[in-house]
Amino acid sequence: VAKGRFFPTVLQIRPAAIDHGADIGEYSQFPGEREFLWNPCSLLESGGDQFLEITPHGIVNIIPVRMNNNVKTQTVEQLENQKKEMHIAGFEFLLNEVKFLLASVAESAANEKSDLAQQGRSMESNRENILSWIVEGIVEECELTFNRHKQIDHNKFLDDDEYRHLVIEMLDAKSQALSKVKLCQQALMQMGGE
């Protein structure tokens, strides 16, 4: 210290029954030392106050630590796949929302049918059938886009431009589905008014 040098520092790791690494001492390049491997993202936590110890080689600064072995760490492959899984889950939620909204439109058209019963059953039945057929087609189109996204390799989701394109395509699927059914309703209303 007088020469402006710091004391050598040693981390004193006291392994616990659960949080201990794998002993790979028999494979060590240094036969007199023991070596341990810990899981990625394991943490060192303070195990008490640091202290100085006098050894035959001089004074050593000892810092007691505990290893917190992270057993929930995901593999690189799991982390890479996570973005795709989140996108697919979001798309599935959106698809269910589209199905619900379109079913509501079809149901309201059926209720409208009973209100307009005096105007002739054949035109109302045709309009309801056409709307039902179009709603099925729109849902099928959304499902095709969803299934195509499920088939895309997870690496495409890691590319920001590609991922942005996929998110826009997912959001467009909903807005286009709702726009198509509104246009269909308007056209059917005009047909009924003629």
Side-chain angles (χ1 to χ4, degrees), residues 61-72:
N61 184 25
I62 307 289
I63 302 175
V65 293
R66 289 188 320 262
M67 181 59 75
N68 181 352
N69 199 1
N70 187 348
V71 294
K72 294 184 180 181

Side-chain angles (χ1 to χ4, degrees), residues 126-151:
N126 286 342
R127 282 192 349 202
E128 185 179 334
N129 289 340
I130 291 170
L131 184 61
S132 170
W133 177 73
I134 289 175
V135 164
E136 286 175 21
I138 292 169
V139 168
E140 186 177 315
E141 189 177 314
C142 290
E143 287 174 339
L144 285 172
T145 304
F146 172 70
N147 289 328
R148 188 174 49 74
H149 281 223
K150 285 173 61 174
Q151 299 304 316

